Amino acid sequence: MSAPRVAIVGGGIIGLAIGWRLRQRGIDDLVVLDSGEPGAWHVAAGMLAPGGESAFEQPALARLLEASNERWPAFAAELGVDVGFDTTGTLGLAMTADDQAEAARFWTPPLLRPSELREREPALSPRVRAGVYAPAERQVDPRKVVAALRERLADRIVAKRVEDLAEVDADVVVVAAGCDTARLTGLPVRPVKGQLLRLRGEPGLLRHVLSATVDGREVYLVPRADGEILVGATQEERTDHAVTAGAVHELLHAALDLVPGLAEFELIETTVGHRPGTPDNAPLLGWLAPNDITDLSGLSGVALSGAASPGAGDRLVIVAAGHHRNGVLLTPITADLIAGLVADGHQDPLLEKFAPGRF
Ligand code: GLY
């Protein structure tokens, strides 16, 4: 069997990581079609938080998040450049008794007292009532990851907005187009708006990622080594790109209540992105027509039928999209599982609950 000709539709963090893994597996007849519109990765803070961000009612998703989190250290190391992978860990925090009741649902003991929390982060407000330390919840800089991946695939990236999958000439088409996946495949991927702020000041005010409930408001602070601190994020069922006064006010209010020293920081960026959500907010990973196609054994440069997408024509279509709040965290596992599917038709059991056709 000769290697398939592969086209990846989507030049974001997911599409690029899949391309990188395929290349490492010797699939070189490969193109990444990049629309040029920065995806959710451009806005994402890069929290790698399987506990804080997972849906506990979905054990399969929790397993996928954990498995991907375990792969992050090797994934970052293999990229071979600084991608801001930071292992300091996360503090989960609550300001009031009500906040604690709300936040503690996601906490793993032991509970830390305010004095213990301020030992770790002296800049915390004295009002912080309780918290926990999650050493496995780390961070990475998604913009640096994308830059590193783009470098590895520089000769394979083509600037092109795909209007219809039928125009893509390849044996296997991987749709990793974030929110645009809905337009290309008809799958139920919806944009979930997030507004996020970037502040800049003296490096070292904070060391940990802070994930807090502050007088009923959810906020996270992600400190970078260079003094940048990301403050996020709203979660709105909206498609517009407006930065709103209300959101900026709410985010800054919560952030400054939590860390008063941030008042001296410069507000350097306000950004809006759209997370690709699905009906169950778990990703879509696998064949577009999973009941038709389970392996690539017949693939030898001959186009096969089977894709269920209207207009997709005679080609195999794989989807890797709909990662909602967890695109960055799920990048390593998505890349490994999808590369395995493309390269040897390996249907990993981890993929079972994420079939694109499940709705
Ligand atoms: N993962 C953080 C967010 O989506 O806001």
Side-chain angles (χ1 to χ4, degrees):
M1 164 181 157
S2 64
R5 294 178 306 130
V6 181
I8 298 170
V9 181
I13 195 165
I14 299 285
L16 290 169
I18 294 168
W20 181 43
R21 287 305 197 210
L22 285 174
R23 200 162 207 195
Q24 289 175 320
R25 283 166 163 262
I27 294 189
D28 221 36
D29 196 343
L30 172 73
V31 67
V32 178
L33 304 172
D34 179 18
S35 72
E37 287 158 24
W41 61 268
H42 187 71
V43 178
M47 298 160 74
L48 306 175
E53 298 280 306
S54 71
F56 284 101
E57 63 278 12
Q58 289 173 277
L61 177 58
R63 272 197 301 280
L64 195 73
L65 294 167
E66 287 292 349
S68 202
N69 198 35
E70 282 165 19
R71 291 177 193 213
W72 252 109
F75 187 87
E78 258 187 89
L79 280 168
V81 292
D82 173 21
V83 289
F85 182 66
D86 182 302
T87 60
T88 309
T90 295
L91 293 180
L93 300 168
M95 198 69 116
T96 66
D98 285 348
D99 293 339
Q100 187 175 338
E102 178 63 26
R105 295 182 297 136
F106 303 104
W107 287 358
T108 307
L111 219 61
L112 300 183
R113 292 189 303 273
S115 60
E116 294 171 306
L117 292 167
R118 272 192 301 279
E119 246 167 60
R120 287 189 167 274
E121 287 293 2
L124 284 179
S125 160
R127 283 187 59 219
V128 172
R129 178 190 166 96
V132 288
Y133 173 49
E137 300 200 351
R138 300 159 292 202
Q139 61 149 310
V140 72
D141 184 336
R143 293 182 184 181
K144 288 186 175 169
V145 175
V146 167
L149 288 167
R150 287 185 72 89
E151 209 161 281
R152 266 142 204 78
L153 290 164
D155 58 343
R156 289 291 177 273
I157 299 171
V158 173
K160 180 177 169 58
R161 179 183 145 88
V162 174
E163 299 299 338
D164 190 317
L165 292 186
E167 78 197 39
V168 180
D169 178 25
D171 301 318
V172 182
V173 179
V174 180
V175 184
C179 292
D180 226 15
T181 301
R183 179 180 64 81
L184 291 166
T185 63
L187 289 168
V189 181
R190 73 184 195 288
V192 181
K193 180 179 175 184
Q195 302 187 53
L196 182 134
L197 314 175
R198 281 179 153 78
L199 312 179
R200 188 187 293 276
E202 277 299 307
L205 181 74
L206 297 175
R207 291 190 314 116
H208 301 74
V209 172
L210 307 182
S211 178
T213 309
V214 180
D215 298 314
R217 297 179 299 256
E218 304 291 328
V219 69
Y220 55 75
L221 272 60
V222 181
R224 304 278 199 239
D226 64 359
E228 206 166 286
I229 295 183
L230 285 68
V231 181
T234 64
Q235 181 166 313
E236 308 161 67
E237 296 289 337
R238 300 178 63 103
T239 57
D240 65 88
H241 288 79
V243 175
T244 63
V248 174
H249 173 79
E250 284 290 302
L251 291 170
L252 285 179
H253 192 169
L256 269 66
D257 279 356
L258 189 65
V259 182
L262 283 175
E264 299 304 321
F265 274 49
E266 186 183 353
L267 174 59
I268 57 167
E269 190 182 306
T270 56
T271 31
V272 174
H274 293 89
R275 310 169 181 93
T278 63
D280 60 7
N281 288 327
L284 310 174
L285 304 172
W287 302 112
L288 191 54
N291 48 343
D292 294 346
I293 307 158
T294 52
D295 70 54
L296 286 173
S297 53
L299 187 67
S300 53
V302 181
L304 301 180
S305 297
S309 164
D314 284 347
R315 55 181 50 74
L316 299 172
V317 178
I318 290 174
V319 178
H323 293 73
H324 195 233
R325 293 181 67 97
N326 295 301
V328 179
L329 173 57
L330 288 174
T331 292
I333 195 105
T334 300
D336 290 345
L337 297 180
I338 299 298
L341 210 48
V342 175
D344 13 83
H346 176 61
Q347 178 84 27
D348 192 289
L350 274 172
L351 288 169
E352 198 188 321
K353 298 283 188 216
F354 305 106
R358 69 183 179 276
F359 301 111

